[in-house]
Amino acid sequence: MTAPLRVAVIGAKGRIGSEACRAVEAAPDLELVATPDRGDSLETLVDGGAQVAVDLTHPDAVMANLEFCIGHGIHGVVGTTGWTEERLATLRGRLAASPATGVLIAPNFSIGAVLTMRFAQQAARFFESVEVVELHHNRKADAPSGTATRTAQLIAAAREQAGLARQQDPTTHALDGARGADVDGVPVHAVRLRGLLAHQEVLFGDVGETLTIRHDSLHHSCFMPGILLGVRRVVDTPGLTVGLEHFLDLD
Ligand SMILES: NC(=O)C1=CN([C@@H]2O[C@H](COP(=O)(O)OP(=O)(O)OC[C@H]3O[C@@H](n4cnc5c(N)ncnc54)[C@H](O)[C@@H]3O)[C@@H](O)[C@H]2O)C=CC1
Ligand SMILES: O=C(O)C1=N[C@H](C(=O)O)C[C@H](O)C1
């Protein structure tokens, strides 16, 4: 019988981290060996012999956590948001020095959200106008969400590949922020509301028609199959992978 894969969850007391701990504990092929949260030493990962660390912390914490993990040859599965091109470049540099180590950054672990991104990518070349609206609970640190940012980037890339011009914003009079954040030419609007979890609409428009692709995460359990898939696959995937879709055989 194969020994269970030893997994740590960093940010174990958080909303998604606590759910991830339960999911790892319930999986027969995985063993939860370390559960650090803010203020705990990451040496518990080494003491527990962790092979994979799931990071579900905060944009301010994730880079240092990954530096520790990669430095110790521990694979990373990252749900924490706040990624920029600069941060990704730093991470690639660190991984180059530890070529056997893999890191998956998943802007969203839910299958429905990954499919939303894929469908939006497919629709992008057929519509002149597109805007993204994301809606989250009111304790979220970052805006726009990692998912919305990634969705907009994928749409922009698909438009560019199809030879579509950047959208022209006709607005000449606006309050700051009224037209949302500009992500590669795609306006992204962020709503924060008590009672919500994570929701997104991608709105496409052209002559005489609109198309809305909407996804709703109703409970943190929706992220668990994706996290477990990431844990199982990252050990055989050295280097940096951005997006769970690469582990879903969607094509
Ligand atoms: N990719 C995905 O599918 C999902 C990603 N997220 C992201 O995961 C992150 C956490 O989200 P929530 O659980 O809602 O936040 P949360 O605030 O409930 O939990 C974060 C936890 O991390 C801990 N923490 C902060 N700094 C730490 C450090 N240096 N070391 C160890 N632990 C530390 C906090 O004490 C807290 O317990 C956010 O960036 C969020 O956007 C959340 C849900 C799904
Ligand atoms: O903070 C959250 O809750 C979520 N964060 C991720 C994001 O920023 O996209 C994923 C999901 O939307 C939940």
Short mmCIF file of all heavy atoms in Angstrom, two decimals, residues 9-18 35-40 42 55-62 64-65 78-82 105-110 113 136-137 139-142 145-147 197-198 217 220 222-224 227, ligand 1:
data_model
loop_
_atom_site.label_atom_id
_atom_site.label_comp_id
_atom_site.label_asym_id
_atom_site.label_seq_id
_atom_site.Cartn_x
_atom_site.Cartn_y
_atom_site.Cartn_z
N VAL A 9 -1.45 22.54 6.06
CA VAL A 9 -2.34 23.65 5.67
C VAL A 9 -1.88 24.89 6.43
O VAL A 9 -1.91 24.91 7.67
CB VAL A 9 -3.82 23.34 5.97
CG1 VAL A 9 -4.69 24.56 5.69
CG2 VAL A 9 -4.30 22.15 5.14
N ILE A 10 -1.42 25.91 5.70
CA ILE A 10 -0.97 27.17 6.32
C ILE A 10 -2.15 28.14 6.25
O ILE A 10 -2.71 28.37 5.18
CB ILE A 10 0.25 27.76 5.59
CG1 ILE A 10 1.32 26.69 5.33
CG2 ILE A 10 0.83 28.92 6.39
CD1 ILE A 10 2.53 27.20 4.55
N GLY A 11 -2.48 28.69 7.43
CA GLY A 11 -3.71 29.49 7.51
C GLY A 11 -4.86 28.59 7.95
O GLY A 11 -6.02 28.80 7.55
N ALA A 12 -4.51 27.62 8.79
CA ALA A 12 -5.44 26.53 9.13
C ALA A 12 -6.65 26.98 9.94
O ALA A 12 -7.65 26.26 10.01
CB ALA A 12 -4.68 25.45 9.92
N LYS A 13 -6.57 28.16 10.55
CA LYS A 13 -7.72 28.62 11.34
C LYS A 13 -8.67 29.51 10.54
O LYS A 13 -9.67 29.99 11.05
CB LYS A 13 -7.22 29.40 12.57
CG LYS A 13 -6.50 28.52 13.58
CD LYS A 13 -6.08 29.34 14.79
CE LYS A 13 -5.36 28.46 15.79
NZ LYS A 13 -4.54 29.25 16.73
N GLY A 14 -8.33 29.78 9.30
CA GLY A 14 -9.13 30.71 8.49
C GLY A 14 -10.40 30.06 7.96
O GLY A 14 -10.65 28.87 8.14
N ARG A 15 -11.20 30.87 7.25
CA ARG A 15 -12.47 30.39 6.71
C ARG A 15 -12.25 29.21 5.77
O ARG A 15 -12.88 28.17 5.91
CB ARG A 15 -13.18 31.53 5.95
CG ARG A 15 -13.89 32.52 6.83
CD ARG A 15 -14.54 33.63 6.01
NE ARG A 15 -13.54 34.53 5.46
CZ ARG A 15 -13.06 35.60 6.10
NH1 ARG A 15 -13.52 35.91 7.29
NH2 ARG A 15 -12.13 36.36 5.56
N ILE A 16 -11.34 29.36 4.82
CA ILE A 16 -11.14 28.25 3.88
C ILE A 16 -10.10 27.26 4.43
O ILE A 16 -10.20 26.06 4.19
CB ILE A 16 -10.77 28.75 2.46
CG1 ILE A 16 -10.63 27.57 1.52
CG2 ILE A 16 -9.57 29.63 2.42
CD1 ILE A 16 -10.61 27.91 0.07
N GLY A 17 -9.14 27.77 5.20
CA GLY A 17 -8.11 26.88 5.76
C GLY A 17 -8.70 25.81 6.66
O GLY A 17 -8.30 24.64 6.61
N SER A 18 -9.66 26.19 7.50
CA SER A 18 -10.25 25.21 8.43
C SER A 18 -11.03 24.15 7.65
O SER A 18 -11.00 22.96 7.98
CB SER A 18 -11.14 25.90 9.46
OG SER A 18 -12.06 26.75 8.83
N THR A 35 -0.49 22.33 10.84
CA THR A 35 -1.61 23.27 10.65
C THR A 35 -1.25 24.65 11.23
O THR A 35 -1.95 25.16 12.10
CB THR A 35 -2.88 22.73 11.34
OG1 THR A 35 -2.58 22.47 12.72
CG2 THR A 35 -3.40 21.49 10.68
N PRO A 36 -0.18 25.26 10.75
CA PRO A 36 0.19 26.56 11.31
C PRO A 36 -0.78 27.66 10.90
O PRO A 36 -1.37 27.61 9.82
CB PRO A 36 1.58 26.82 10.70
CG PRO A 36 1.58 26.05 9.43
CD PRO A 36 0.74 24.83 9.68
N ASP A 37 -0.92 28.62 11.78
CA ASP A 37 -1.67 29.84 11.45
C ASP A 37 -0.75 31.01 11.82
O ASP A 37 0.44 30.82 12.13
CB ASP A 37 -3.01 29.88 12.19
CG ASP A 37 -4.01 30.83 11.52
OD1 ASP A 37 -4.00 32.04 11.85
OD2 ASP A 37 -4.77 30.37 10.66
N ARG A 38 -1.27 32.23 11.79
CA ARG A 38 -0.47 33.43 12.05
C ARG A 38 0.29 33.29 13.38
O ARG A 38 -0.28 32.89 14.40
CB ARG A 38 -1.39 34.64 12.13
CG ARG A 38 -0.69 35.97 12.12
CD ARG A 38 -1.66 37.05 12.56
NE ARG A 38 -2.82 37.18 11.69
CZ ARG A 38 -2.87 37.97 10.63
NH1 ARG A 38 -1.85 38.71 10.29
NH2 ARG A 38 -3.97 38.03 9.92
N GLY A 39 1.58 33.56 13.35
CA GLY A 39 2.39 33.53 14.57
C GLY A 39 3.04 32.18 14.84
O GLY A 39 3.92 32.08 15.70
N ASP A 40 2.61 31.13 14.14
CA ASP A 40 3.22 29.80 14.34
C ASP A 40 4.44 29.64 13.44
O ASP A 40 4.48 30.18 12.34
CB ASP A 40 2.22 28.69 14.01
CG ASP A 40 0.98 28.74 14.90
OD1 ASP A 40 1.10 29.22 16.04
OD2 ASP A 40 -0.09 28.32 14.43
N LEU A 42 6.90 27.96 10.83
CA LEU A 42 6.76 27.04 9.69
C LEU A 42 7.64 25.81 9.85
O LEU A 42 7.54 24.86 9.07
CB LEU A 42 7.07 27.76 8.38
CG LEU A 42 6.07 28.84 7.95
CD1 LEU A 42 6.49 29.48 6.63
CD2 LEU A 42 4.66 28.26 7.83
N ASP A 55 -1.42 26.81 0.93
CA ASP A 55 -1.40 28.16 1.52
C ASP A 55 -2.74 28.85 1.30
O ASP A 55 -3.15 29.11 0.17
CB ASP A 55 -0.27 29.01 0.91
CG ASP A 55 -0.07 30.30 1.70
OD1 ASP A 55 -0.97 31.16 1.67
OD2 ASP A 55 0.97 30.44 2.36
N LEU A 56 -3.39 29.17 2.43
CA LEU A 56 -4.69 29.86 2.40
C LEU A 56 -4.63 30.96 3.45
O LEU A 56 -5.29 30.88 4.49
CB LEU A 56 -5.82 28.86 2.70
CG LEU A 56 -5.90 27.70 1.68
CD1 LEU A 56 -6.72 26.55 2.21
CD2 LEU A 56 -6.44 28.17 0.34
N THR A 57 -3.77 31.94 3.20
CA THR A 57 -3.48 32.93 4.24
C THR A 57 -3.90 34.33 3.82
O THR A 57 -5.07 34.68 3.87
CB THR A 57 -1.99 32.88 4.62
OG1 THR A 57 -1.19 33.15 3.45
CG2 THR A 57 -1.61 31.53 5.21
N HIS A 58 -2.95 35.12 3.38
CA HIS A 58 -3.18 36.55 3.12
C HIS A 58 -2.14 36.99 2.10
O HIS A 58 -1.00 36.50 2.13
CB HIS A 58 -3.00 37.33 4.44
CG HIS A 58 -3.44 38.76 4.36
ND1 HIS A 58 -2.64 39.75 3.82
CD2 HIS A 58 -4.58 39.35 4.75
CE1 HIS A 58 -3.29 40.90 3.88
NE2 HIS A 58 -4.46 40.69 4.45
N PRO A 59 -2.51 37.93 1.22
CA PRO A 59 -1.52 38.40 0.24
C PRO A 59 -0.21 38.88 0.88
O PRO A 59 0.86 38.76 0.26
CB PRO A 59 -2.24 39.56 -0.46
CG PRO A 59 -3.70 39.23 -0.33
CD PRO A 59 -3.85 38.54 1.00
N ASP A 60 -0.25 39.40 2.09
CA ASP A 60 0.98 39.87 2.74
C ASP A 60 1.86 38.74 3.25
O ASP A 60 3.02 38.96 3.61
CB ASP A 60 0.64 40.79 3.94
CG ASP A 60 0.03 42.10 3.49
OD1 ASP A 60 0.12 42.42 2.29
OD2 ASP A 60 -0.57 42.78 4.34
N ALA A 61 1.30 37.54 3.37
CA ALA A 61 2.03 36.43 4.00
C ALA A 61 2.54 35.39 3.01
O ALA A 61 3.52 34.68 3.26
CB ALA A 61 1.12 35.74 5.03
N VAL A 62 1.88 35.30 1.87
CA VAL A 62 2.09 34.14 1.00
C VAL A 62 3.51 34.05 0.43
O VAL A 62 4.06 32.95 0.30
CB VAL A 62 1.01 34.10 -0.11
CG1 VAL A 62 1.11 35.30 -1.04
CG2 VAL A 62 1.07 32.81 -0.90
N ALA A 64 6.44 34.96 1.71
CA ALA A 64 7.40 34.43 2.69
C ALA A 64 7.12 32.94 2.95
O ALA A 64 8.06 32.13 3.09
CB ALA A 64 7.30 35.22 3.99
N ASN A 65 5.85 32.59 3.00
CA ASN A 65 5.52 31.17 3.22
C ASN A 65 6.07 30.30 2.09
O ASN A 65 6.65 29.23 2.31
CB ASN A 65 4.00 30.97 3.30
CG ASN A 65 3.41 31.61 4.53
OD1 ASN A 65 4.13 31.93 5.48
ND2 ASN A 65 2.10 31.81 4.53
N VAL A 78 -1.55 26.87 -3.79
CA VAL A 78 -1.80 28.22 -3.27
C VAL A 78 -3.17 28.73 -3.72
O VAL A 78 -3.43 28.87 -4.92
CB VAL A 78 -0.70 29.19 -3.78
CG1 VAL A 78 -0.93 30.59 -3.23
CG2 VAL A 78 0.67 28.67 -3.40
N GLY A 79 -4.01 29.03 -2.72
CA GLY A 79 -5.29 29.67 -3.02
C GLY A 79 -5.25 31.15 -2.71
O GLY A 79 -6.10 31.92 -3.17
N THR A 80 -4.27 31.55 -1.92
CA THR A 80 -4.16 32.94 -1.51
C THR A 80 -4.02 33.84 -2.73
O THR A 80 -3.31 33.51 -3.69
CB THR A 80 -2.92 33.11 -0.59
OG1 THR A 80 -3.03 32.15 0.46
CG2 THR A 80 -2.85 34.51 -0.01
N THR A 81 -4.67 35.00 -2.64
CA THR A 81 -4.75 35.89 -3.80
C THR A 81 -3.73 37.03 -3.70
O THR A 81 -2.86 37.02 -2.85
CB THR A 81 -6.18 36.44 -3.90
OG1 THR A 81 -6.59 36.83 -2.59
CG2 THR A 81 -7.12 35.41 -4.44
N GLY A 82 -3.85 38.01 -4.59
CA GLY A 82 -2.96 39.17 -4.56
C GLY A 82 -1.76 39.02 -5.47
O GLY A 82 -0.73 39.67 -5.27
N ILE A 105 -0.65 27.79 -8.38
CA ILE A 105 -1.42 28.95 -7.92
C ILE A 105 -2.79 28.86 -8.58
O ILE A 105 -2.88 28.89 -9.81
CB ILE A 105 -0.73 30.27 -8.28
CG1 ILE A 105 0.58 30.38 -7.51
CG2 ILE A 105 -1.64 31.47 -7.96
CD1 ILE A 105 1.39 31.59 -7.88
N ALA A 106 -3.81 28.71 -7.77
CA ALA A 106 -5.17 28.57 -8.32
C ALA A 106 -6.00 29.77 -7.88
O ALA A 106 -6.41 29.86 -6.72
CB ALA A 106 -5.80 27.28 -7.82
N PRO A 107 -6.27 30.71 -8.80
CA PRO A 107 -7.11 31.84 -8.42
C PRO A 107 -8.46 31.38 -7.87
O PRO A 107 -9.06 32.05 -7.05
CB PRO A 107 -7.29 32.61 -9.73
CG PRO A 107 -6.10 32.24 -10.55
CD PRO A 107 -5.77 30.81 -10.18
N ASN A 108 -8.92 30.23 -8.34
CA ASN A 108 -10.16 29.68 -7.80
C ASN A 108 -10.11 28.16 -7.89
O ASN A 108 -9.80 27.61 -8.94
CB ASN A 108 -11.36 30.23 -8.56
CG ASN A 108 -12.62 30.17 -7.72
OD1 ASN A 108 -12.97 29.12 -7.21
ND2 ASN A 108 -13.28 31.30 -7.56
N PHE A 109 -10.43 27.48 -6.79
CA PHE A 109 -10.41 26.01 -6.77
C PHE A 109 -11.76 25.41 -7.16
O PHE A 109 -11.87 24.19 -7.29
CB PHE A 109 -10.05 25.50 -5.37
CG PHE A 109 -8.61 25.70 -4.99
CD1 PHE A 109 -8.26 26.59 -3.99
CD2 PHE A 109 -7.60 24.97 -5.60
CE1 PHE A 109 -6.93 26.77 -3.62
CE2 PHE A 109 -6.27 25.13 -5.24
CZ PHE A 109 -5.94 26.03 -4.25
N SER A 110 -12.80 26.22 -7.28
CA SER A 110 -14.11 25.63 -7.56
C SER A 110 -14.22 25.32 -9.06
O SER A 110 -13.80 26.11 -9.91
CB SER A 110 -15.24 26.55 -7.09
OG SER A 110 -15.83 27.20 -8.17
N ALA A 113 -16.19 27.85 -11.12
CA ALA A 113 -15.48 29.11 -11.41
C ALA A 113 -14.44 28.90 -12.50
O ALA A 113 -14.26 29.77 -13.37
CB ALA A 113 -14.82 29.63 -10.14
N HIS A 136 -18.29 39.65 -3.31
CA HIS A 136 -17.74 38.82 -2.23
C HIS A 136 -18.24 39.29 -0.86
O HIS A 136 -18.74 40.40 -0.71
CB HIS A 136 -16.21 38.87 -2.24
CG HIS A 136 -15.59 37.94 -3.24
ND1 HIS A 136 -15.49 38.25 -4.58
CD2 HIS A 136 -15.04 36.70 -3.10
CE1 HIS A 136 -14.90 37.25 -5.21
NE2 HIS A 136 -14.62 36.28 -4.34
N HIS A 137 -17.98 38.45 0.13
CA HIS A 137 -18.22 38.78 1.54
C HIS A 137 -17.42 40.02 1.93
O HIS A 137 -16.43 40.36 1.26
CB HIS A 137 -17.81 37.59 2.43
CG HIS A 137 -16.38 37.17 2.24
ND1 HIS A 137 -15.36 37.68 3.01
CD2 HIS A 137 -15.79 36.32 1.36
CE1 HIS A 137 -14.21 37.15 2.62
NE2 HIS A 137 -14.44 36.32 1.61
N ARG A 139 -15.35 40.67 4.28
CA ARG A 139 -14.10 40.58 5.05
C ARG A 139 -12.93 40.24 4.13
O ARG A 139 -11.86 39.86 4.60
CB ARG A 139 -14.26 39.55 6.17
CG ARG A 139 -15.28 40.09 7.19
CD ARG A 139 -15.79 39.04 8.11
NE ARG A 139 -14.78 38.64 9.09
CZ ARG A 139 -14.92 37.63 9.91
NH1 ARG A 139 -16.02 36.91 9.87
NH2 ARG A 139 -13.98 37.31 10.78
N LYS A 140 -13.15 40.39 2.85
CA LYS A 140 -12.09 40.06 1.88
C LYS A 140 -11.06 41.18 1.81
O LYS A 140 -11.42 42.37 1.71
CB LYS A 140 -12.74 39.82 0.51
CG LYS A 140 -11.76 39.35 -0.55
CD LYS A 140 -12.50 38.81 -1.76
CE LYS A 140 -11.53 38.42 -2.87
NZ LYS A 140 -10.48 37.49 -2.46
N ALA A 141 -9.77 40.81 1.81
CA ALA A 141 -8.70 41.82 1.86
C ALA A 141 -8.43 42.45 0.50
O ALA A 141 -8.07 43.63 0.42
CB ALA A 141 -7.42 41.18 2.39
N ASP A 142 -8.57 41.69 -0.57
CA ASP A 142 -8.11 42.17 -1.87
C ASP A 142 -9.28 42.49 -2.80
O ASP A 142 -10.34 41.88 -2.73
CB ASP A 142 -7.19 41.13 -2.53
CG ASP A 142 -7.87 39.78 -2.64
OD1 ASP A 142 -8.43 39.30 -1.64
OD2 ASP A 142 -7.89 39.20 -3.75
N SER A 145 -11.07 40.54 -6.97
CA SER A 145 -10.71 39.17 -6.57
C SER A 145 -9.68 38.59 -7.53
O SER A 145 -9.58 39.01 -8.69
CB SER A 145 -11.95 38.29 -6.56
OG SER A 145 -12.39 38.05 -7.89
N GLY A 146 -8.96 37.59 -7.04
CA GLY A 146 -8.00 36.90 -7.91
C GLY A 146 -8.70 36.28 -9.10
O GLY A 146 -8.17 36.29 -10.23
N THR A 147 -9.89 35.76 -8.88
CA THR A 147 -10.64 35.12 -9.97
C THR A 147 -11.03 36.15 -11.04
O THR A 147 -10.88 35.89 -12.24
CB THR A 147 -11.92 34.47 -9.41
OG1 THR A 147 -11.54 33.62 -8.33
CG2 THR A 147 -12.65 33.67 -10.47
N LEU A 197 -20.72 35.04 -0.32
CA LEU A 197 -19.44 34.32 -0.24
C LEU A 197 -18.60 34.75 -1.44
O LEU A 197 -17.83 35.70 -1.33
CB LEU A 197 -19.67 32.80 -0.20
CG LEU A 197 -18.53 31.95 0.37
CD1 LEU A 197 -18.93 30.49 0.49
CD2 LEU A 197 -17.23 32.07 -0.34
N ALA A 198 -18.77 34.11 -2.58
CA ALA A 198 -17.98 34.48 -3.77
C ALA A 198 -18.83 34.28 -5.01
O ALA A 198 -19.32 33.17 -5.25
CB ALA A 198 -16.72 33.63 -3.84
N SER A 217 -20.46 30.72 -5.64
CA SER A 217 -19.97 29.80 -4.60
C SER A 217 -20.85 30.03 -3.39
O SER A 217 -20.91 31.14 -2.86
CB SER A 217 -18.51 30.12 -4.24
OG SER A 217 -17.65 29.69 -5.25
N HIS A 220 -17.94 27.09 1.39
CA HIS A 220 -16.51 26.85 1.16
C HIS A 220 -16.22 25.41 0.71
O HIS A 220 -15.13 25.13 0.21
CB HIS A 220 -15.71 27.16 2.44
CG HIS A 220 -15.43 28.63 2.58
ND1 HIS A 220 -16.12 29.44 3.46
CD2 HIS A 220 -14.55 29.43 1.96
CE1 HIS A 220 -15.67 30.68 3.35
NE2 HIS A 220 -14.72 30.71 2.46
N CYS A 222 -17.19 24.02 -1.80
CA CYS A 222 -17.04 23.96 -3.27
C CYS A 222 -15.57 24.03 -3.69
O CYS A 222 -15.24 23.65 -4.80
CB CYS A 222 -17.85 25.05 -3.97
SG CYS A 222 -17.16 26.71 -3.82
N PHE A 223 -14.72 24.53 -2.81
CA PHE A 223 -13.30 24.66 -3.17
C PHE A 223 -12.50 23.37 -2.88
O PHE A 223 -11.35 23.25 -3.30
CB PHE A 223 -12.65 25.82 -2.41
CG PHE A 223 -13.35 27.14 -2.63
CD1 PHE A 223 -14.03 27.79 -1.59
CD2 PHE A 223 -13.34 27.75 -3.87
CE1 PHE A 223 -14.67 29.01 -1.80
CE2 PHE A 223 -14.00 28.96 -4.09
CZ PHE A 223 -14.66 29.59 -3.05
N MET A 224 -13.11 22.44 -2.13
CA MET A 224 -12.32 21.30 -1.63
C MET A 224 -11.89 20.30 -2.69
O MET A 224 -10.72 19.89 -2.70
CB MET A 224 -13.08 20.59 -0.48
CG MET A 224 -13.28 21.49 0.72
SD MET A 224 -11.72 22.24 1.29
CE MET A 224 -12.12 23.98 1.24
N ILE A 227 -8.86 21.73 -4.32
CA ILE A 227 -7.67 21.74 -3.47
C ILE A 227 -7.06 20.34 -3.41
O ILE A 227 -5.84 20.17 -3.58
CB ILE A 227 -8.02 22.24 -2.04
CG1 ILE A 227 -8.35 23.73 -2.09
CG2 ILE A 227 -6.87 21.95 -1.06
CD1 ILE A 227 -8.73 24.34 -0.75
N1 LIG B 1 -8.33 30.11 -4.65
C1 LIG B 1 -9.53 29.88 -4.07
O1 LIG B 1 -10.34 29.08 -4.56
C2 LIG B 1 -9.87 30.60 -2.81
C3 LIG B 1 -8.99 31.53 -2.31
N2 LIG B 1 -9.28 32.19 -1.17
C4 LIG B 1 -8.21 33.08 -0.70
O2 LIG B 1 -7.60 32.48 0.43
C5 LIG B 1 -7.14 33.51 1.31
C6 LIG B 1 -7.73 33.29 2.70
O3 LIG B 1 -9.13 33.51 2.65
P1 LIG B 1 -10.05 33.33 3.95
O4 LIG B 1 -9.93 31.96 4.49
O5 LIG B 1 -11.39 33.85 3.57
O6 LIG B 1 -9.35 34.36 4.96
P2 LIG B 1 -9.27 34.28 6.55
O7 LIG B 1 -8.86 35.63 7.01
O8 LIG B 1 -10.51 33.67 7.10
O9 LIG B 1 -8.09 33.23 6.80
C7 LIG B 1 -6.75 33.49 6.62
C8 LIG B 1 -6.00 32.78 7.74
O10 LIG B 1 -4.61 32.92 7.48
C9 LIG B 1 -3.97 33.23 8.71
N3 LIG B 1 -2.70 33.87 8.44
C10 LIG B 1 -2.45 35.16 8.11
N4 LIG B 1 -1.13 35.36 7.97
C11 LIG B 1 -0.54 34.17 8.21
C12 LIG B 1 0.81 33.74 8.21
N5 LIG B 1 1.83 34.56 7.94
N6 LIG B 1 1.06 32.42 8.48
C13 LIG B 1 0.06 31.58 8.76
N7 LIG B 1 -1.24 31.94 8.79
C14 LIG B 1 -1.53 33.22 8.51
C15 LIG B 1 -4.98 34.10 9.46
O11 LIG B 1 -4.71 34.15 10.85
C16 LIG B 1 -6.27 33.40 9.12
O12 LIG B 1 -6.58 32.37 10.05
C17 LIG B 1 -7.54 34.83 0.65
O13 LIG B 1 -6.46 35.33 -0.11
C18 LIG B 1 -8.69 34.42 -0.26
O14 LIG B 1 -8.86 35.31 -1.34
C19 LIG B 1 -10.42 31.97 -0.47
C20 LIG B 1 -11.34 31.08 -0.93
C21 LIG B 1 -11.15 30.32 -2.14
#
